[in-house]
Amino acid sequence: MASEVKVPTLGESVTEATIGEWLKKPGDAVALDEPIASLETDKVAVEVPAPIAGIMGAYKAEVGETVEVGAVIAVIEEGQAQSGPEDTHLRKDEAEKASSAEEEIEALPSGEEGGDASTTLSPAVRRAVLEHGVDPTTIKGTGKDGRLTKEDVIAAAKAKQSSPAPSASAPAPSPTPATAEGERVEERVKMTRLRQTIAKRLKGAQEEAALLTTFNDVDMTAVMEARAAYKDVFAKKHNIKLGFMSFFAKAACLALKDVPAVNARIDGDEIVYHKYVDLSVAVSAPNGLVVPVVRNVERMSFAEVEQAIADYGQKAKDGALTMQDMAGGTFTISNGGVFGSLMSTPIINPPQSAVLGLHRIEERPVAVNGEVVIRPMMYIALSYDHRIIDGREAVTALKIIKEAIEDPMRMLIDL
């Protein structure tokens, strides 16, 4: 008897998704609630669990196909997996439907029976494996359930390049086909649903909001000294590293309290002022930039902020963020400095009205008390919707953040 696998409820206002990848092939044994497919929604990837234990049956939808909530995408047969001719036939049929990239991956060594989950490759990982020419079965995955991430593949490729050349007595590896000199190569890859949504939202923000950015620079000396003095004790007590994000999150809370418009949004012909701070923190995920929300930051300690951000960062890397993790948010902090950015004009995350952009810290000569000294400086930027936030308010909010970072005591005594 077969059981249908249906697209689960995906979250509020989300009615459809795209088949991102199949995690099980027809003929594979599946356990109850074991993930068999990954769906890409507008915000996150969602795994589809098996409704029963049994044998994976036929697919009812292909990778890249858009499916609605409740649609049947596969069937699972009751029983145990077999390795006889029927199973072989199923696998052969499925392999014939696979894309050329997937066929190349399948041709790689498959590893030992019962190995880790790193043999289940996402589209991004498959592309990275092909691009860098590494064997995925020799790489230990750091993602969810031991799955490979794109970063794992890149790290393995770098390690392979830095390894010593084989000795003269060792057999030479088979030559890799090289691209002919002067050949113009193009690759066409369909945008993921997440990337399409990011594109639409950011373009919509530019078209609908009256965007403007104000800049300032911050002397990071005081925060860096505080961090250096207390990071070991902090880590020992709270089991989490003391980073810079918690300082900026708490500094932002001071600014949003004093300048409420920066923490507000437009709803029709009304302005909604939030009496709380739900902080959207932009983090990099395998499929693009995502912004999970740390709620009620104004009530949190530095350790709680750091822990929440670290947890979201790991979930983003593992592809485990949920719709609830992404919902809401009243203000955003985006840290381009981790990628080396010196200065940028971040785009607001609708329906929010402002976003704080952080950048890299670098030593620069500055004038202090009439003398030129070298200080660790950071440019900070506040992009805002001029329809709701006046220039004076934006500049004031950014100045409050600057003063709190340069004198962290302000955050303790609420100045």
Side-chain angles (χ1 to χ4, degrees), residues 33 57 109 111 115 117 122 124 149 180 187 225 230 239 247 269 282 319 372 377 398 412 414:
D33 292 331
S122 69
T149 66
E187 180 183 8
E225 289 178 349
Y230 298 109
N239 197 32
F247 286 94
D269 59 356
V372 176
M377 304 296 294
L398 197 61
L412 299 179
D414 194 16

Side-chain angles (χ1 to χ4, degrees), residues 264-265 278 280 293 328-332 348-355 385:
R265 62 183 171 87
D278 282 357
S280 299
V293 180
T330 63
F331 182 76
T332 295
I348 64 173
N349 179 25
Q352 297 173 23
S353 298
V355 53
D385 187 347

